[in-house]
Amino acid sequence: MISKIQLQSIIEKYHLNGLIENVKWEIDKDKQLTINFTAPSREMIGSITYQGFPLPESKIGINNTTQLDKLLSITAGELMLDYSREGKVISKLLIADNQFNLDYALADLLTIPKSGEYTGPEEYNIEAALDNEVITALVKAKNALSNSENVVVKPGLTGLEFTFGGDVEYANKVTYSIQDITVNNEATFSLTYNSNLLKEILVANKGAESGTLYISSQGLIKIVFSHKDLQDKYYIVAKAE
């Protein structure tokens, strides 16, 4: 059994409001669910791990997460999960609550795009905590300039600055600084990232028990969140100048 809220929470961490549809769910013998994913733009890769997922050891293909989410929306409370097979092949994910029985057709694993994996160094110039106050402020700043697709990130006098609209000289801009930062290696840089992607990651993880952002002057942001029974991680690369 798993609650509808918990299952939807797992999904939203990679679905990111519809940005990512096709993924592979991998459940090991210890009931750990792992989902690796890559943004279609290749600007981000990420992974989710969830402990205690109520399905046997298996790998299944999800090729339309939006449709799965729509099916889940009509359920309530605790959910029973199971599989339907055609021979030895897992063909459907079965979901049931006290009122509905749902069949979700699974994809051939060969049709699911291979997700990227970060294998580079884990060396970062700055790290900063992402609590609900910071997440809310960054989302508000992005929403104030919803048409702007970029955010410029750089160290400033008051902390780590996020300037939405900052890649265009004569344009409206909103800057928010995370003041409580740890500098591991002093560096001067100004990097441009996909602000839509950053916003959806933050929205999906509001309410996390803890969150940390790491940034490297080489053009990489790493964001890690911890929730009860669930951890998720994202790597975002800066846009080429």
Side-chain angles (χ1 to χ4, degrees):
M1 300 282 281
I2 187 171
S3 71
K4 168 189 175 177
I5 292 174
Q6 186 62 74
L7 185 53
Q8 286 184 315
S9 177
I10 294 169
I11 290 170
E12 73 175 344
K13 301 297 184 293
Y14 77 81
H15 193 214
L16 301 177
N17 197 29
L19 291 178
I20 297 171
E21 293 286 350
N22 308 309
V23 292
K24 182 192 300 181
W25 293 10
E26 302 183 59
I27 303 100
D28 68 17
K29 59 183 177 58
D30 297 318
K31 302 292 187 180
Q32 175 176 287
L33 168 67
T34 301
I35 305 171
N36 297 308
F37 48 92
T38 303
S41 63
R42 317 300 291 184
E43 293 174 279
M44 182 272 293
I45 59 174
S47 65
I48 298 167
T49 57
Y50 177 82
Q51 306 297 328
F53 198 69
L55 280 173
E57 183 177 5
S58 54
K59 296 179 182 180
I60 60 174
I62 307 293
N63 68 353
N64 189 334
T65 299
T66 295
Q67 183 60 68
L68 176 58
D69 214 26
K70 286 181 179 179
L71 289 173
L72 288 173
S73 69
I74 70 171
T75 64
E78 295 294 311
L79 305 178
M80 288 285 295
L81 303 183
D82 202 353
Y83 292 138
S84 173
R85 298 175 183 268
E86 294 181 6
K88 294 183 178 181
V89 177
I90 300 172
S91 58
K92 293 180 182 179
L93 175 63
L94 308 179
I95 306 165
D97 66 0
N98 289 330
Q99 189 174 11
F100 297 104
N101 290 291
L102 311 176
D103 291 11
Y104 176 78
L106 297 171
D108 186 328
L109 290 172
L110 295 176
T111 67
I112 302 298
K114 187 175 181 180
S115 59
E117 182 179 358
Y118 180 69
T119 58
E122 294 279 358
E123 298 173 1
Y124 301 94
N125 298 88
I126 296 173
E127 62 181 90
L130 292 176
D131 57 22
N132 277 345
E133 180 180 347
V134 171
I135 289 173
T136 298
L138 287 171
V139 172
K140 283 183 177 179
K142 162 59 182 171
N143 287 342
L145 289 173
S146 58
N147 291 330
S148 174
E149 297 183 352
N150 296 322
V151 56
V152 175
V153 184
K154 64 180 181 180
L157 296 176
T158 58
L160 185 62
E161 295 182 353
F162 291 73
T163 302
F164 295 86
D167 59 314
V168 179
E169 183 64 28
Y170 299 103
N172 298 318
K173 297 179 178 62
V174 177
T175 299
Y176 175 78
S177 295
I178 302 179
Q179 299 179 5
D180 186 12
I181 64 173
T182 300
V183 179
N184 300 315
N185 186 12
E186 200 79 45
T188 300
F189 56 86
S190 180
L191 300 166
T192 301
Y193 293 90
N194 185 321
S195 61
N196 295 319
L197 197 54
L198 178 63
K199 172 194 169 181
E200 296 304 338
I201 291 170
L202 295 176
V203 169
N205 286 280
K206 193 170 183 180
E209 292 179 352
S210 65
T212 308
L213 179 146
Y214 306 84
I215 186 166
S216 164
S217 61
Q218 300 303 308
L220 183 71
I221 282 179
K222 174 186 175 182
I223 304 177
V224 179
F225 290 102
S226 179
H227 308 255
K228 182 182 178 181
D229 300 323
L230 186 151
Q231 289 75 43
D232 50 336
K233 182 184 341 182
Y234 308 84
Y235 293 94
I236 312 172
V237 296
K239 295 189 174 186
E241 296 184 2

